[in-house]
PDB file of all heavy atoms in Angstrom:
ATOM      1  N   GLU W   1     -19.564  -1.690   2.522  1.00 97.00           N
ATOM      2  CA  GLU W   1     -18.934  -0.396   2.270  1.00 97.00           C
ATOM      3  C   GLU W   1     -17.488  -0.594   1.793  1.00 97.00           C
ATOM      4  O   GLU W   1     -16.870  -1.628   2.060  1.00 97.00           O
ATOM      5  CB  GLU W   1     -18.947   0.448   3.547  1.00 97.00           C
ATOM      6  CG  GLU W   1     -20.323   0.920   3.950  1.00 97.00           C
ATOM      7  CD  GLU W   1     -20.272   2.023   4.987  1.00 97.00           C
ATOM      8  OE1 GLU W   1     -19.179   2.461   5.346  1.00 97.00           O
ATOM      9  OE2 GLU W   1     -21.355   2.456   5.429  1.00 97.00           O
ATOM     10  N   ARG W   2     -17.000   0.419   1.114  1.00 98.00           N
ATOM     11  CA  ARG W   2     -15.607   0.391   0.692  1.00 98.00           C
ATOM     12  C   ARG W   2     -14.720   0.484   1.941  1.00 98.00           C
ATOM     13  O   ARG W   2     -14.927   1.348   2.787  1.00 98.00           O
ATOM     14  CB  ARG W   2     -15.332   1.553  -0.258  1.00 98.00           C
ATOM     15  CG  ARG W   2     -14.022   1.466  -0.990  1.00 98.00           C
ATOM     16  CD  ARG W   2     -13.925   2.518  -2.072  1.00 98.00           C
ATOM     17  NE  ARG W   2     -14.977   2.363  -3.087  1.00 98.00           N
ATOM     18  CZ  ARG W   2     -15.021   3.050  -4.222  1.00 98.00           C
ATOM     19  NH1 ARG W   2     -14.049   3.925  -4.493  1.00 98.00           N
ATOM     20  NH2 ARG W   2     -16.012   2.875  -5.059  1.00 98.00           N
ATOM     21  N   GLU W   3     -13.750  -0.411   2.016  1.00 98.00           N
ATOM     22  CA  GLU W   3     -12.902  -0.454   3.205  1.00 98.00           C
ATOM     23  C   GLU W   3     -11.430  -0.310   2.862  1.00 98.00           C
ATOM     24  O   GLU W   3     -10.983  -0.683   1.771  1.00 98.00           O
ATOM     25  CB  GLU W   3     -13.122  -1.772   3.968  1.00 98.00           C
ATOM     26  CG  GLU W   3     -12.693  -3.014   3.223  1.00 98.00           C
ATOM     27  CD  GLU W   3     -12.817  -4.269   4.084  1.00 98.00           C
ATOM     28  OE1 GLU W   3     -13.338  -4.198   5.218  1.00 98.00           O
ATOM     29  OE2 GLU W   3     -12.367  -5.334   3.608  1.00 98.00           O
ATOM     30  N   PHE W   4     -10.702   0.203   3.822  1.00 98.00           N
ATOM     31  CA  PHE W   4      -9.263   0.401   3.674  1.00 98.00           C
ATOM     32  C   PHE W   4      -8.533  -0.934   3.628  1.00 98.00           C
ATOM     33  O   PHE W   4      -8.863  -1.849   4.389  1.00 98.00           O
ATOM     34  CB  PHE W   4      -8.756   1.228   4.850  1.00 98.00           C
ATOM     35  CG  PHE W   4      -7.265   1.309   4.970  1.00 98.00           C
ATOM     36  CD1 PHE W   4      -6.540   2.125   4.116  1.00 98.00           C
ATOM     37  CD2 PHE W   4      -6.589   0.566   5.909  1.00 98.00           C
ATOM     38  CE1 PHE W   4      -5.175   2.208   4.217  1.00 98.00           C
ATOM     39  CE2 PHE W   4      -5.214   0.630   6.031  1.00 98.00           C
ATOM     40  CZ  PHE W   4      -4.508   1.459   5.184  1.00 98.00           C
ATOM     41  N   VAL W   5      -7.544  -1.030   2.759  1.00 98.00           N
ATOM     42  CA  VAL W   5      -6.699  -2.217   2.676  1.00 98.00           C
ATOM     43  C   VAL W   5      -5.257  -1.880   3.038  1.00 98.00           C
ATOM     44  O   VAL W   5      -4.668  -2.504   3.916  1.00 98.00           O
ATOM     45  CB  VAL W   5      -6.745  -2.834   1.265  1.00 98.00           C
ATOM     46  CG1 VAL W   5      -5.761  -4.005   1.158  1.00 98.00           C
ATOM     47  CG2 VAL W   5      -8.151  -3.283   0.914  1.00 98.00           C
ATOM     48  N   SER W   6      -4.699  -0.878   2.358  1.00 98.00           N
ATOM     49  CA  SER W   6      -3.296  -0.565   2.576  1.00 98.00           C
ATOM     50  C   SER W   6      -3.000   0.823   2.062  1.00 98.00           C
ATOM     51  O   SER W   6      -3.721   1.340   1.197  1.00 98.00           O
ATOM     52  CB  SER W   6      -2.408  -1.593   1.868  1.00 98.00           C
ATOM     53  OG  SER W   6      -1.039  -1.364   2.137  1.00 98.00           O
ATOM     54  N   ALA W   7      -1.931   1.430   2.577  1.00 98.00           N
ATOM     55  CA  ALA W   7      -1.526   2.763   2.130  1.00 98.00           C
ATOM     56  C   ALA W   7      -0.012   2.872   2.178  1.00 98.00           C
ATOM     57  O   ALA W   7       0.657   2.147   2.929  1.00 98.00           O
ATOM     58  CB  ALA W   7      -2.164   3.837   3.000  1.00 98.00           C
ATOM     59  N   ILE W   8       0.495   3.803   1.376  1.00 97.00           N
ATOM     60  CA  ILE W   8       1.934   4.031   1.324  1.00 97.00           C
ATOM     61  C   ILE W   8       2.198   5.516   1.151  1.00 97.00           C
ATOM     62  O   ILE W   8       1.481   6.195   0.426  1.00 97.00           O
ATOM     63  CB  ILE W   8       2.571   3.200   0.173  1.00 97.00           C
ATOM     64  CG1 ILE W   8       4.090   3.240   0.219  1.00 97.00           C
ATOM     65  CG2 ILE W   8       2.039   3.635  -1.189  1.00 97.00           C
ATOM     66  CD1 ILE W   8       4.749   2.188  -0.672  1.00 97.00           C
ATOM     67  N   SER W   9       3.210   6.019   1.833  1.00 96.00           N
ATOM     68  CA  SER W   9       3.560   7.428   1.722  1.00 96.00           C
ATOM     69  C   SER W   9       4.190   7.703   0.362  1.00 96.00           C
ATOM     70  O   SER W   9       4.609   6.780  -0.340  1.00 96.00           O
ATOM     71  CB  SER W   9       4.536   7.800   2.833  1.00 96.00           C
ATOM     72  OG  SER W   9       5.746   7.047   2.699  1.00 96.00           O
ATOM     73  N   TRP W  10       4.303   8.978   0.013  1.00 93.00           N
ATOM     74  CA  TRP W  10       4.845   9.243  -1.322  1.00 93.00           C
ATOM     75  C   TRP W  10       6.317   8.895  -1.421  1.00 93.00           C
ATOM     76  O   TRP W  10       6.826   8.640  -2.509  1.00 93.00           O
ATOM     77  CB  TRP W  10       4.528  10.643  -1.830  1.00 93.00           C
ATOM     78  CG  TRP W  10       4.968  11.876  -1.118  1.00 93.00           C
ATOM     79  CD1 TRP W  10       4.154  12.750  -0.454  1.00 93.00           C
ATOM     80  CD2 TRP W  10       6.275  12.453  -1.078  1.00 93.00           C
ATOM     81  NE1 TRP W  10       4.885  13.811   0.019  1.00 93.00           N
ATOM     82  CE2 TRP W  10       6.191  13.663  -0.358  1.00 93.00           C
ATOM     83  CE3 TRP W  10       7.538  12.068  -1.560  1.00 93.00           C
ATOM     84  CZ2 TRP W  10       7.287  14.476  -0.120  1.00 93.00           C
ATOM     85  CZ3 TRP W  10       8.627  12.891  -1.333  1.00 93.00           C
ATOM     86  CH2 TRP W  10       8.497  14.073  -0.609  1.00 93.00           C
ATOM     87  N   SER W  11       7.003   8.869  -0.272  1.00 93.00           N
ATOM     88  CA  SER W  11       8.397   8.451  -0.286  1.00 93.00           C
ATOM     89  C   SER W  11       8.544   6.931  -0.386  1.00 93.00           C
ATOM     90  O   SER W  11       9.620   6.426  -0.721  1.00 93.00           O
ATOM     91  CB  SER W  11       9.092   8.919   0.978  1.00 93.00           C
ATOM     92  OG  SER W  11       8.528   8.255   2.099  1.00 93.00           O
ATOM     93  N   GLY W  12       7.478   6.212  -0.052  1.00 94.00           N
ATOM     94  CA  GLY W  12       7.551   4.755  -0.002  1.00 94.00           C
ATOM     95  C   GLY W  12       8.102   4.220   1.305  1.00 94.00           C
ATOM     96  O   GLY W  12       8.148   3.012   1.515  1.00 94.00           O
ATOM     97  N   LEU W  13       8.491   5.117   2.198  1.00 95.00           N
ATOM     98  CA  LEU W  13       9.134   4.684   3.447  1.00 95.00           C
ATOM     99  C   LEU W  13       8.138   4.203   4.489  1.00 95.00           C
ATOM    100  O   LEU W  13       8.501   3.417   5.376  1.00 95.00           O
ATOM    101  CB  LEU W  13       9.967   5.836   4.012  1.00 95.00           C
ATOM    102  CG  LEU W  13      11.153   6.278   3.169  1.00 95.00           C
ATOM    103  CD1 LEU W  13      11.825   7.478   3.819  1.00 95.00           C
ATOM    104  CD2 LEU W  13      12.141   5.139   2.985  1.00 95.00           C
ATOM    105  N   ILE W  14       6.927   4.702   4.424  1.00 96.00           N
ATOM    106  CA  ILE W  14       5.919   4.368   5.428  1.00 96.00           C
ATOM    107  C   ILE W  14       4.772   3.622   4.759  1.00 96.00           C
ATOM    108  O   ILE W  14       4.268   4.043   3.717  1.00 96.00           O
ATOM    109  CB  ILE W  14       5.366   5.639   6.100  1.00 96.00           C
ATOM    110  CG1 ILE W  14       6.511   6.513   6.630  1.00 96.00           C
ATOM    111  CG2 ILE W  14       4.412   5.254   7.218  1.00 96.00           C
ATOM    112  CD1 ILE W  14       7.365   5.856   7.683  1.00 96.00           C
ATOM    113  N   THR W  15       4.378   2.509   5.355  1.00 98.00           N
ATOM    114  CA  THR W  15       3.236   1.741   4.861  1.00 98.00           C
ATOM    115  C   THR W  15       2.295   1.440   6.021  1.00 98.00           C
ATOM    116  O   THR W  15       2.676   1.508   7.198  1.00 98.00           O
ATOM    117  CB  THR W  15       3.678   0.419   4.204  1.00 98.00           C
ATOM    118  OG1 THR W  15       4.401  -0.360   5.164  1.00 98.00           O
ATOM    119  CG2 THR W  15       4.559   0.679   2.992  1.00 98.00           C
ATOM    120  N   ASN W  16       1.069   1.094   5.675  1.00 98.00           N
ATOM    121  CA  ASN W  16       0.058   0.799   6.679  1.00 98.00           C
ATOM    122  C   ASN W  16      -0.903  -0.222   6.105  1.00 98.00           C
ATOM    123  O   ASN W  16      -1.185  -0.195   4.890  1.00 98.00           O
ATOM    124  CB  ASN W  16      -0.678   2.077   7.071  1.00 98.00           C
ATOM    125  CG  ASN W  16      -1.477   1.912   8.344  1.00 98.00           C
ATOM    126  OD1 ASN W  16      -2.656   1.573   8.295  1.00 98.00           O
ATOM    127  ND2 ASN W  16      -0.850   2.139   9.475  1.00 98.00           N
ATOM    128  N   TYR W  17      -1.406  -1.116   6.959  1.00 98.00           N
ATOM    129  CA  TYR W  17      -2.279  -2.190   6.493  1.00 98.00           C
ATOM    130  C   TYR W  17      -3.474  -2.372   7.407  1.00 98.00           C
ATOM    131  O   TYR W  17      -3.389  -2.173   8.619  1.00 98.00           O
ATOM    132  CB  TYR W  17      -1.509  -3.515   6.454  1.00 98.00           C
ATOM    133  CG  TYR W  17      -0.340  -3.515   5.499  1.00 98.00           C
ATOM    134  CD1 TYR W  17       0.920  -3.145   5.924  1.00 98.00           C
ATOM    135  CD2 TYR W  17      -0.522  -3.884   4.167  1.00 98.00           C
ATOM    136  CE1 TYR W  17       1.996  -3.142   5.039  1.00 98.00           C
ATOM    137  CE2 TYR W  17       0.538  -3.882   3.282  1.00 98.00           C
ATOM    138  CZ  TYR W  17       1.796  -3.508   3.723  1.00 98.00           C
ATOM    139  OH  TYR W  17       2.847  -3.501   2.843  1.00 98.00           O
ATOM    140  N   ALA W  18      -4.573  -2.800   6.818  1.00 98.00           N
ATOM    141  CA  ALA W  18      -5.695  -3.256   7.618  1.00 98.00           C
ATOM    142  C   ALA W  18      -5.295  -4.553   8.319  1.00 98.00           C
ATOM    143  O   ALA W  18      -4.511  -5.351   7.776  1.00 98.00           O
ATOM    144  CB  ALA W  18      -6.909  -3.491   6.725  1.00 98.00           C
ATOM    145  N   ASP W  19      -5.840  -4.765   9.502  1.00 98.00           N
ATOM    146  CA  ASP W  19      -5.502  -5.977  10.252  1.00 98.00           C
ATOM    147  C   ASP W  19      -5.830  -7.241   9.459  1.00 98.00           C
ATOM    148  O   ASP W  19      -5.130  -8.249   9.567  1.00 98.00           O
ATOM    149  CB  ASP W  19      -6.255  -5.995  11.578  1.00 98.00           C
ATOM    150  CG  ASP W  19      -5.709  -4.990  12.570  1.00 98.00           C
ATOM    151  OD1 ASP W  19      -4.586  -4.489  12.360  1.00 98.00           O
ATOM    152  OD2 ASP W  19      -6.415  -4.708  13.559  1.00 98.00           O
ATOM    153  N   SER W  20      -6.873  -7.175   8.659  1.00 98.00           N
ATOM    154  CA  SER W  20      -7.334  -8.363   7.927  1.00 98.00           C
ATOM    155  C   SER W  20      -6.356  -8.822   6.855  1.00 98.00           C
ATOM    156  O   SER W  20      -6.430  -9.966   6.396  1.00 98.00           O
ATOM    157  CB  SER W  20      -8.698  -8.095   7.300  1.00 98.00           C
ATOM    158  OG  SER W  20      -8.625  -6.990   6.420  1.00 98.00           O
ATOM    159  N   VAL W  21      -5.439  -7.944   6.431  1.00 98.00           N
ATOM    160  CA  VAL W  21      -4.509  -8.314   5.360  1.00 98.00           C
ATOM    161  C   VAL W  21      -3.055  -8.282   5.811  1.00 98.00           C
ATOM    162  O   VAL W  21      -2.166  -8.684   5.058  1.00 98.00           O
ATOM    163  CB  VAL W  21      -4.680  -7.404   4.121  1.00 98.00           C
ATOM    164  CG1 VAL W  21      -6.137  -7.378   3.674  1.00 98.00           C
ATOM    165  CG2 VAL W  21      -4.175  -5.996   4.398  1.00 98.00           C
ATOM    166  N   LYS W  22      -2.810  -7.845   7.024  1.00 98.00           N
ATOM    167  CA  LYS W  22      -1.441  -7.717   7.527  1.00 98.00           C
ATOM    168  C   LYS W  22      -0.742  -9.075   7.486  1.00 98.00           C
ATOM    169  O   LYS W  22      -1.291 -10.085   7.927  1.00 98.00           O
ATOM    170  CB  LYS W  22      -1.471  -7.155   8.940  1.00 98.00           C
ATOM    171  CG  LYS W  22      -0.203  -6.481   9.382  1.00 98.00           C
ATOM    172  CD  LYS W  22      -0.416  -5.788  10.715  1.00 98.00           C
ATOM    173  CE  LYS W  22      -1.356  -4.613  10.604  1.00 98.00           C
ATOM    174  NZ  LYS W  22      -1.503  -3.878  11.890  1.00 98.00           N
ATOM    175  N   GLY W  23       0.457  -9.088   6.956  1.00 97.00           N
ATOM    176  CA  GLY W  23       1.214 -10.331   6.846  1.00 97.00           C
ATOM    177  C   GLY W  23       0.944 -11.103   5.564  1.00 97.00           C
ATOM    178  O   GLY W  23       1.690 -12.037   5.241  1.00 97.00           O
ATOM    179  N   ARG W  24      -0.101 -10.720   4.830  1.00 98.00           N
ATOM    180  CA  ARG W  24      -0.427 -11.417   3.575  1.00 98.00           C
ATOM    181  C   ARG W  24      -0.252 -10.500   2.366  1.00 98.00           C
ATOM    182  O   ARG W  24       0.107 -10.964   1.286  1.00 98.00           O
ATOM    183  CB  ARG W  24      -1.867 -11.927   3.603  1.00 98.00           C
ATOM    184  CG  ARG W  24      -2.148 -12.921   4.702  1.00 98.00           C
ATOM    185  CD  ARG W  24      -3.551 -13.533   4.571  1.00 98.00           C
ATOM    186  NE  ARG W  24      -4.606 -12.533   4.674  1.00 98.00           N
ATOM    187  CZ  ARG W  24      -5.522 -12.316   3.723  1.00 98.00           C
ATOM    188  NH1 ARG W  24      -5.505 -13.017   2.612  1.00 98.00           N
ATOM    189  NH2 ARG W  24      -6.466 -11.396   3.908  1.00 98.00           N
ATOM    190  N   PHE W  25      -0.550  -9.211   2.533  1.00 98.00           N
ATOM    191  CA  PHE W  25      -0.477  -8.240   1.437  1.00 98.00           C
ATOM    192  C   PHE W  25       0.734  -7.331   1.643  1.00 98.00           C
ATOM    193  O   PHE W  25       1.096  -7.007   2.783  1.00 98.00           O
ATOM    194  CB  PHE W  25      -1.731  -7.381   1.387  1.00 98.00           C
ATOM    195  CG  PHE W  25      -2.989  -8.092   0.968  1.00 98.00           C
ATOM    196  CD1 PHE W  25      -3.054  -9.477   0.853  1.00 98.00           C
ATOM    197  CD2 PHE W  25      -4.144  -7.364   0.698  1.00 98.00           C
ATOM    198  CE1 PHE W  25      -4.216 -10.121   0.471  1.00 98.00           C
ATOM    199  CE2 PHE W  25      -5.324  -7.990   0.316  1.00 98.00           C
ATOM    200  CZ  PHE W  25      -5.359  -9.373   0.203  1.00 98.00           C
ATOM    201  N   THR W  26       1.298  -6.883   0.539  1.00 98.00           N
ATOM    202  CA  THR W  26       2.412  -5.940   0.582  1.00 98.00           C
ATOM    203  C   THR W  26       2.181  -4.837  -0.444  1.00 98.00           C
ATOM    204  O   THR W  26       1.974  -5.136  -1.627  1.00 98.00           O
ATOM    205  CB  THR W  26       3.741  -6.641   0.285  1.00 98.00           C
ATOM    206  OG1 THR W  26       3.957  -7.707   1.227  1.00 98.00           O
ATOM    207  CG2 THR W  26       4.900  -5.652   0.393  1.00 98.00           C
ATOM    208  N   ILE W  27       2.229  -3.612   0.019  1.00 98.00           N
ATOM    209  CA  ILE W  27       2.102  -2.465  -0.877  1.00 98.00           C
ATOM    210  C   ILE W  27       3.497  -1.944  -1.198  1.00 98.00           C
ATOM    211  O   ILE W  27       4.401  -1.961  -0.350  1.00 98.00           O
ATOM    212  CB  ILE W  27       1.231  -1.360  -0.245  1.00 98.00           C
ATOM    213  CG1 ILE W  27       0.878  -0.289  -1.274  1.00 98.00           C
ATOM    214  CG2 ILE W  27       1.883  -0.763   0.994  1.00 98.00           C
ATOM    215  CD1 ILE W  27      -0.177   0.716  -0.784  1.00 98.00           C
ATOM    216  N   SER W  28       3.671  -1.499  -2.429  1.00 98.00           N
ATOM    217  CA  SER W  28       4.946  -0.916  -2.836  1.00 98.00           C
ATOM    218  C   SER W  28       4.673   0.072  -3.959  1.00 98.00           C
ATOM    219  O   SER W  28       3.572   0.120  -4.507  1.00 98.00           O
ATOM    220  CB  SER W  28       5.923  -1.997  -3.293  1.00 98.00           C
ATOM    221  OG  SER W  28       5.426  -2.691  -4.427  1.00 98.00           O
ATOM    222  N   ARG W  29       5.686   0.850  -4.296  1.00 97.00           N
ATOM    223  CA  ARG W  29       5.536   1.814  -5.375  1.00 97.00           C
ATOM    224  C   ARG W  29       6.853   1.948  -6.119  1.00 97.00           C
ATOM    225  O   ARG W  29       7.928   1.754  -5.552  1.00 97.00           O
ATOM    226  CB  ARG W  29       5.066   3.169  -4.853  1.00 97.00           C
ATOM    227  CG  ARG W  29       6.037   3.869  -3.932  1.00 97.00           C
ATOM    228  CD  ARG W  29       5.384   5.085  -3.287  1.00 97.00           C
ATOM    229  NE  ARG W  29       5.014   6.093  -4.284  1.00 97.00           N
ATOM    230  CZ  ARG W  29       4.053   7.006  -4.101  1.00 97.00           C
ATOM    231  NH1 ARG W  29       3.377   7.027  -2.969  1.00 97.00           N
ATOM    232  NH2 ARG W  29       3.802   7.902  -5.038  1.00 97.00           N
ATOM    233  N   ASP W  30       6.729   2.310  -7.387  1.00 96.00           N
ATOM    234  CA  ASP W  30       7.883   2.603  -8.233  1.00 96.00           C
ATOM    235  C   ASP W  30       7.657   3.998  -8.796  1.00 96.00           C
ATOM    236  O   ASP W  30       6.874   4.165  -9.749  1.00 96.00           O
ATOM    237  CB  ASP W  30       8.009   1.560  -9.342  1.00 96.00           C
ATOM    238  CG  ASP W  30       9.267   1.730 -10.168  1.00 96.00           C
ATOM    239  OD1 ASP W  30       9.809   2.848 -10.201  1.00 96.00           O
ATOM    240  OD2 ASP W  30       9.698   0.748 -10.787  1.00 96.00           O
ATOM    241  N   ASN W  31       8.285   4.978  -8.213  1.00 94.00           N
ATOM    242  CA  ASN W  31       8.048   6.361  -8.633  1.00 94.00           C
ATOM    243  C   ASN W  31       8.567   6.629 -10.041  1.00 94.00           C
ATOM    244  O   ASN W  31       8.093   7.548 -10.710  1.00 94.00           O
ATOM    245  CB  ASN W  31       8.656   7.331  -7.637  1.00 94.00           C
ATOM    246  CG  ASN W  31       7.852   7.424  -6.349  1.00 94.00           C
ATOM    247  OD1 ASN W  31       6.735   6.874  -6.263  1.00 94.00           O
ATOM    248  ND2 ASN W  31       8.406   8.063  -5.344  1.00 94.00           N
ATOM    249  N   ALA W  32       9.512   5.828 -10.497  1.00 95.00           N
ATOM    250  CA  ALA W  32      10.010   5.995 -11.865  1.00 95.00           C
ATOM    251  C   ALA W  32       8.983   5.520 -12.889  1.00 95.00           C
ATOM    252  O   ALA W  32       8.981   5.969 -14.037  1.00 95.00           O
ATOM    253  CB  ALA W  32      11.316   5.238 -12.039  1.00 95.00           C
ATOM    254  N   LYS W  33       8.107   4.610 -12.472  1.00 96.00           N
ATOM    255  CA  LYS W  33       7.087   4.064 -13.372  1.00 96.00           C
ATOM    256  C   LYS W  33       5.700   4.609 -13.063  1.00 96.00           C
ATOM    257  O   LYS W  33       4.716   4.177 -13.670  1.00 96.00           O
ATOM    258  CB  LYS W  33       7.067   2.535 -13.286  1.00 96.00           C
ATOM    259  CG  LYS W  33       8.341   1.882 -13.778  1.00 96.00           C
ATOM    260  CD  LYS W  33       8.227   0.361 -13.732  1.00 96.00           C
ATOM    261  CE  LYS W  33       9.482  -0.281 -14.290  1.00 96.00           C
ATOM    262  NZ  LYS W  33       9.405  -1.766 -14.263  1.00 96.00           N
ATOM    263  N   ASN W  34       5.592   5.527 -12.104  1.00 96.00           N
ATOM    264  CA  ASN W  34       4.297   6.106 -11.731  1.00 96.00           C
ATOM    265  C   ASN W  34       3.276   5.023 -11.399  1.00 96.00           C
ATOM    266  O   ASN W  34       2.098   5.123 -11.790  1.00 96.00           O
ATOM    267  CB  ASN W  34       3.753   6.991 -12.853  1.00 96.00           C
ATOM    268  CG  ASN W  34       4.528   8.280 -13.005  1.00 96.00           C
ATOM    269  OD1 ASN W  34       5.516   8.501 -12.313  1.00 96.00           O
ATOM    270  ND2 ASN W  34       4.094   9.126 -13.907  1.00 96.00           N
ATOM    271  N   THR W  35       3.716   4.015 -10.673  1.00 97.00           N
ATOM    272  CA  THR W  35       2.863   2.861 -10.415  1.00 97.00           C
ATOM    273  C   THR W  35       2.965   2.432  -8.953  1.00 97.00           C
ATOM    274  O   THR W  35       4.056   2.436  -8.369  1.00 97.00           O
ATOM    275  CB  THR W  35       3.257   1.681 -11.325  1.00 97.00           C
ATOM    276  OG1 THR W  35       3.136   2.087 -12.700  1.00 97.00           O
ATOM    277  CG2 THR W  35       2.342   0.483 -11.093  1.00 97.00           C
ATOM    278  N   VAL W  36       1.822   2.057  -8.400  1.00 98.00           N
ATOM    279  CA  VAL W  36       1.766   1.468  -7.073  1.00 98.00           C
ATOM    280  C   VAL W  36       1.249   0.039  -7.224  1.00 98.00           C
ATOM    281  O   VAL W  36       0.438  -0.242  -8.105  1.00 98.00           O
ATOM    282  CB  VAL W  36       0.890   2.300  -6.120  1.00 98.00           C
ATOM    283  CG1 VAL W  36      -0.557   2.354  -6.584  1.00 98.00           C
ATOM    284  CG2 VAL W  36       0.989   1.787  -4.694  1.00 98.00           C
ATOM    285  N   TYR W  37       1.754  -0.842  -6.379  1.00 98.00           N
ATOM    286  CA  TYR W  37       1.424  -2.266  -6.472  1.00 98.00           C
ATOM    287  C   TYR W  37       0.820  -2.759  -5.166  1.00 98.00           C
ATOM    288  O   TYR W  37       1.073  -2.214  -4.094  1.00 98.00           O
ATOM    289  CB  TYR W  37       2.687  -3.074  -6.759  1.00 98.00           C
ATOM    290  CG  TYR W  37       3.438  -2.637  -7.985  1.00 98.00           C
ATOM    291  CD1 TYR W  37       4.523  -1.773  -7.888  1.00 98.00           C
ATOM    292  CD2 TYR W  37       3.058  -3.088  -9.252  1.00 98.00           C
ATOM    293  CE1 TYR W  37       5.222  -1.373  -9.017  1.00 98.00           C
ATOM    294  CE2 TYR W  37       3.751  -2.684 -10.378  1.00 98.00           C
ATOM    295  CZ  TYR W  37       4.834  -1.825 -10.261  1.00 98.00           C
ATOM    296  OH  TYR W  37       5.511  -1.425 -11.385  1.00 98.00           O
ATOM    297  N   LEU W  38       0.050  -3.825  -5.281  1.00 98.00           N
ATOM    298  CA  LEU W  38      -0.432  -4.536  -4.108  1.00 98.00           C
ATOM    299  C   LEU W  38      -0.210  -6.023  -4.369  1.00 98.00           C
ATOM    300  O   LEU W  38      -0.913  -6.615  -5.191  1.00 98.00           O
ATOM    301  CB  LEU W  38      -1.900  -4.247  -3.833  1.00 98.00           C
ATOM    302  CG  LEU W  38      -2.433  -4.850  -2.542  1.00 98.00           C
ATOM    303  CD1 LEU W  38      -1.807  -4.150  -1.323  1.00 98.00           C
ATOM    304  CD2 LEU W  38      -3.964  -4.738  -2.470  1.00 98.00           C
TER     305      LEU W  38
END
């Protein structure tokens, strides 16, 4: 099944990760570029 990896609030201030990727993956966003990164 499709599983959660990471999420970020629209402000970028709050992030959340699945335990399986915590410490290895980083989510971020650039609102000026309309882009989110992993």
Side-chain angles (χ1 to χ4, degrees):
E1 290 195 3
R2 192 170 299 188
E3 65 175 6
F4 170 76
V5 175
S6 184
I8 189 166
S9 62
W10 60 250
S11 66
L13 295 177
I14 308 298
T15 59
N16 195 268
Y17 298 91
D19 288 345
S20 59
V21 307
K22 203 172 292 184
R24 299 187 298 122
F25 291 10
T26 302
I27 191 170
S28 62
R29 64 190 297 156
D30 186 337
N31 286 351
K33 295 183 177 180
N34 289 3
T35 301
V36 63
Y37 304 97
L38 186 69

